[in-house]
Coordinates of all heavy atoms in Angstrom, one line a residue:
E269 N 20.9 -8.1 13.9 CA 20.9 -9.6 13.8 C 19.8 -10.0 12.8 O 20.0 -11.0 12.1 CB 20.7 -10.3 15.1 CG 20.6 -11.8 15.1 CD 20.3 -12.4 16.4 OE1 20.6 -11.7 17.5 OE2 19.8 -13.5 16.5
H270 N 18.7 -9.2 12.8 CA 17.5 -9.7 12.0 C 17.3 -8.8 10.7 O 16.7 -9.3 9.8 CB 16.3 -9.6 12.9 CG 16.3 -10.5 14.0 ND1 16.3 -11.9 13.9 CD2 16.4 -10.3 15.4 CE1 16.3 -12.5 15.1 NE2 16.4 -11.5 16.0
I271 N 17.8 -7.6 10.7 CA 17.5 -6.7 9.6 C 18.7 -6.5 8.7 O 19.8 -6.0 9.3 CB 16.9 -5.4 10.0 CG1 15.6 -5.6 10.8 CG2 16.6 -4.4 8.8 CD1 15.0 -4.3 11.4
K272 N 18.6 -6.7 7.5 CA 19.7 -6.4 6.5 C 19.6 -5.0 6.0 O 20.7 -4.3 5.9 CB 19.7 -7.4 5.4 CG 20.9 -7.3 4.4 CD 20.8 -8.3 3.3 CE 21.9 -8.2 2.3 NZ 21.8 -9.2 1.2
E273 N 18.4 -4.6 5.5 CA 18.3 -3.3 4.9 C 16.9 -2.7 5.3 O 15.9 -3.4 5.4 CB 18.3 -3.4 3.3 CG 19.7 -3.9 2.8 CD 19.7 -4.0 1.3 OE1 19.1 -3.2 0.6 OE2 20.4 -4.9 0.8
I274 N 16.9 -1.4 5.4 CA 15.7 -0.6 5.6 C 15.7 0.5 4.5 O 16.6 1.4 4.6 CB 15.6 0.0 7.0 CG1 15.6 -1.0 8.1 CG2 14.3 0.8 7.1 CD1 15.6 -0.5 9.5
H275 N 14.7 0.5 3.6 CA 14.6 1.6 2.6 C 13.3 2.4 3.0 O 12.2 1.9 3.0 CB 14.4 1.0 1.2 CG 15.6 0.2 0.8 ND1 15.6 -0.7 -0.2 CD2 16.9 0.3 1.3 CE1 16.8 -1.2 -0.4 NE2 17.6 -0.6 0.5
T276 N 13.6 3.7 3.3 CA 12.5 4.5 3.8 C 12.0 5.4 2.6 O 12.6 6.3 2.1 CB 13.0 5.5 4.9 OG1 13.5 4.7 5.9 CG2 11.9 6.4 5.4
Y277 N 10.7 5.1 2.2 CA 10.1 5.8 1.1 C 9.1 6.8 1.6 O 8.1 6.4 2.3 CB 9.3 4.8 0.2 CG 10.1 3.9 -0.6 CD1 10.6 2.7 -0.1 CD2 10.5 4.2 -2.0 CE1 11.4 1.8 -0.9 CE2 11.2 3.3 -2.7 CZ 11.7 2.1 -2.2 OH 12.4 1.3 -2.9
P278 N 9.3 8.1 1.4 CA 8.3 9.1 1.7 C 7.1 8.9 0.9 O 7.2 8.7 -0.4 CB 9.0 10.4 1.4 CG 10.5 10.1 1.3 CD 10.6 8.7 0.8
V279 N 5.9 9.0 1.5 CA 4.7 8.8 0.7 C 4.3 10.2 0.1 O 4.0 11.1 0.8 CB 3.5 8.3 1.6 CG1 2.2 8.3 0.8 CG2 3.9 6.9 2.1
R280 N 4.4 10.3 -1.2 CA 4.0 11.5 -1.9 C 2.5 11.7 -1.8 O 2.1 12.9 -1.6 CB 4.5 11.3 -3.4 CG 4.2 12.5 -4.3 CD 4.5 12.2 -5.7 NE 4.3 13.3 -6.6 CZ 5.2 14.2 -6.9 NH1 6.4 14.1 -6.4 NH2 4.9 15.1 -7.7
A281 N 1.8 10.7 -2.0 CA 0.3 10.7 -1.9 C -0.2 9.3 -1.7 O 0.4 8.4 -2.1 CB -0.3 11.4 -3.2
V282 N -1.4 9.3 -1.1 CA -2.1 8.0 -1.0 C -3.6 8.2 -1.4 O -4.2 9.3 -1.0 CB -2.0 7.4 0.4 CG1 -2.5 8.3 1.5 CG2 -2.8 6.1 0.5
Y283 N -4.2 7.3 -2.1 CA -5.6 7.4 -2.6 C -6.3 6.2 -2.2 O -5.9 5.1 -2.5 CB -5.6 7.6 -4.1 CG -4.8 8.8 -4.6 CD1 -3.5 8.6 -5.1 CD2 -5.3 10.1 -4.4 CE1 -2.7 9.7 -5.4 CE2 -4.5 11.2 -4.8 CZ -3.2 11.0 -5.3 OH -2.5 12.1 -5.7
T284 N -7.4 6.4 -1.4 CA -8.2 5.3 -1.0 C -9.4 5.1 -1.9 O -10.3 6.0 -1.9 CB -8.7 5.5 0.5 OG1 -7.5 5.8 1.3 CG2 -9.4 4.3 1.0
S285 N -9.5 4.0 -2.6 CA -10.6 3.8 -3.5 C -11.8 2.9 -2.9 O -12.9 3.1 -3.3 CB -10.1 3.1 -4.8 OG -9.3 4.0 -5.5
I286 N -11.4 2.0 -1.9 CA -12.4 1.2 -1.2 C -12.0 1.2 0.2 O -10.8 1.0 0.5 CB -12.5 -0.2 -1.8 CG1 -13.1 -0.1 -3.3 CG2 -13.4 -1.1 -1.0 CD1 -13.2 -1.5 -3.9
Y287 N -13.0 1.3 1.1 CA -12.8 1.2 2.5 C -13.9 0.5 3.2 O -15.1 0.8 2.9 CB -12.6 2.6 3.2 CG -12.4 2.5 4.7 CD1 -11.2 2.1 5.2 CD2 -13.4 2.9 5.5 CE1 -11.0 2.0 6.6 CE2 -13.2 2.8 6.9 CZ -12.0 2.4 7.4 OH -11.8 2.3 8.8
A288 N -13.6 -0.6 3.9 CA -14.7 -1.4 4.6 C -15.7 -1.9 3.6 O -16.9 -1.8 3.8 CB -15.3 -0.6 5.7
S289 N -15.2 -2.4 2.5 CA -16.0 -3.0 1.4 C -16.9 -2.0 0.6 O -17.7 -2.4 -0.2 CB -16.9 -4.1 2.0 OG -16.1 -5.1 2.5
K290 N -16.7 -0.7 0.9 CA -17.5 0.3 0.2 C -16.6 1.2 -0.6 O -15.6 1.7 -0.1 CB -18.4 1.1 1.1 CG -19.4 0.3 2.0 CD -20.1 1.2 3.0 CE -21.0 0.3 3.9 NZ -21.6 1.1 4.9
P291 N -17.0 1.6 -1.9 CA -16.2 2.5 -2.6 C -16.2 3.9 -2.1 O -17.2 4.3 -1.4 CB -16.8 2.4 -4.0 CG -18.2 2.1 -3.8 CD -18.2 1.1 -2.6
T292 N -15.2 4.6 -2.3 CA -15.2 6.1 -2.0 C -15.5 6.9 -3.2 O -15.6 6.3 -4.3 CB -13.8 6.5 -1.5 OG1 -12.8 6.3 -2.6 CG2 -13.3 5.7 -0.3
I293 N -15.7 8.2 -3.0 CA -15.9 9.0 -4.2 C -14.7 8.9 -5.2 O -14.9 8.9 -6.4 CB -16.2 10.5 -3.8 CG1 -17.5 10.6 -3.0 CG2 -16.2 11.4 -5.0 CD1 -18.7 10.3 -3.9
V294 N -13.5 8.9 -4.6 CA -12.3 8.7 -5.4 C -12.4 7.4 -6.2 O -12.0 7.4 -7.4 CB -11.1 8.8 -4.6 CG1 -9.8 8.4 -5.4 CG2 -10.9 10.2 -4.0
G295 N -12.8 6.3 -5.6 CA -12.9 5.1 -6.3 C -14.0 5.1 -7.3 O -13.9 4.4 -8.4
L296 N -15.1 5.8 -7.1 CA -16.2 5.9 -8.1 C -15.9 6.8 -9.2 O -16.0 6.5 -10.4 CB -17.5 6.3 -7.4 CG -18.2 5.2 -6.5 CD1 -19.3 5.9 -5.8 CD2 -18.6 4.0 -7.3
R297 N -15.4 8.0 -8.9 CA -15.4 9.1 -9.8 C -14.0 9.6 -10.2 O -13.9 10.5 -11.1 CB -16.3 10.3 -9.3 CG -17.7 9.9 -8.9 CD -18.6 11.1 -8.7 NE -18.8 11.8 -9.9 CZ -19.8 12.7 -10.1 NH1 -20.7 12.9 -9.1 NH2 -20.0 13.3 -11.2
G298 N -13.0 9.2 -9.4 CA -11.6 9.7 -9.7 C -11.3 10.9 -8.8 O -12.2 11.6 -8.3
Y299 N -10.0 11.1 -8.6 CA -9.6 12.1 -7.7 C -9.9 13.6 -8.1 O -10.3 14.4 -7.3 CB -8.1 12.0 -7.4 CG -7.5 12.9 -6.4 CD1 -7.9 12.7 -5.0 CD2 -6.7 14.0 -6.7 CE1 -7.4 13.6 -4.0 CE2 -6.2 14.8 -5.7 CZ -6.6 14.6 -4.3 OH -6.1 15.4 -3.4
P300 N -9.8 13.9 -9.4 CA -10.1 15.3 -9.8 C -11.6 15.6 -9.5 O -11.9 16.7 -9.0 CB -9.9 15.3 -11.3 CG -8.8 14.3 -11.5 CD -9.1 13.2 -10.5
A301 N -12.5 14.7 -9.7 CA -13.9 14.9 -9.4 C -14.1 15.1 -7.9 O -14.8 15.9 -7.4 CB -14.8 13.7 -9.9
Y302 N -13.4 14.3 -7.1 CA -13.4 14.4 -5.6 C -12.9 15.8 -5.2 O -13.6 16.4 -4.3 CB -12.5 13.3 -5.0 CG -12.1 13.5 -3.6 CD1 -12.9 13.1 -2.5 CD2 -10.9 14.1 -3.3 CE1 -12.5 13.4 -1.2 CE2 -10.5 14.3 -2.0 CZ -11.3 14.0 -0.9 OH -10.9 14.2 0.4
Q303 N -11.8 16.3 -5.8 CA -11.3 17.6 -5.4 C -12.4 18.7 -5.7 O -12.6 19.6 -4.9 CB -10.1 17.9 -6.2 CG -8.8 17.2 -5.7 CD -7.6 17.6 -6.5 OE1 -7.5 17.4 -7.7 NE2 -6.6 18.1 -5.8
A304 N -13.0 18.6 -6.9 CA -14.0 19.6 -7.3 C -15.2 19.6 -6.4 O -15.7 20.6 -6.0 CB -14.3 19.4 -8.8
I305 N -15.7 18.4 -6.1 CA -16.9 18.2 -5.3 C -16.6 18.8 -3.9 O -17.4 19.5 -3.3 CB -17.3 16.7 -5.2 CG1 -17.9 16.3 -6.6 CG2 -18.3 16.5 -4.1 CD1 -18.1 14.8 -6.7
K306 N -15.4 18.5 -3.4 CA -15.0 19.0 -2.0 C -14.9 20.5 -2.0 O -15.3 21.1 -1.1 CB -13.7 18.3 -1.6 CG -13.3 18.6 -0.2 CD -12.0 17.8 0.2 CE -11.6 18.1 1.6 NZ -10.4 17.4 2.0
A307 N -14.3 21.0 -3.1 CA -14.0 22.5 -3.1 C -15.3 23.3 -3.1 O -15.4 24.4 -2.5 CB -13.2 22.8 -4.3
L308 N -16.3 22.8 -3.8 CA -17.6 23.5 -3.9 C -18.7 23.0 -3.0 O -19.9 23.4 -3.1 CB -18.1 23.4 -5.4 CG -17.2 24.1 -6.4 CD1 -17.8 24.0 -7.8 CD2 -16.9 25.5 -6.0
N309 N -18.3 22.0 -2.1 CA -19.3 21.4 -1.2 C -20.5 20.9 -1.9 O -21.7 21.2 -1.5 CB -19.8 22.5 -0.1 CG -18.6 22.8 0.8 OD1 -17.9 22.0 1.3 ND2 -18.5 24.1 1.1

Side-chain angles (χ1 to χ4, degrees):
E269 179 184 337
H270 296 294
I271 300 174
K272 181 181 179 182
E273 297 180 35
I274 301 175
H275 297 159
T276 302
Y277 289 87
V279 175
R280 178 188 184 89
V282 57
Y283 304 98
T284 307
S285 293
I286 293 181
Y287 179 73
S289 300
K290 299 175 184 177
T292 64
I293 292 296
V294 169
L296 287 172
R297 308 192 66 163
Y299 187 68
Y302 162 85
Q303 285 183 300
I305 290 169
K306 186 176 179 181
L308 298 183
N309 295 316

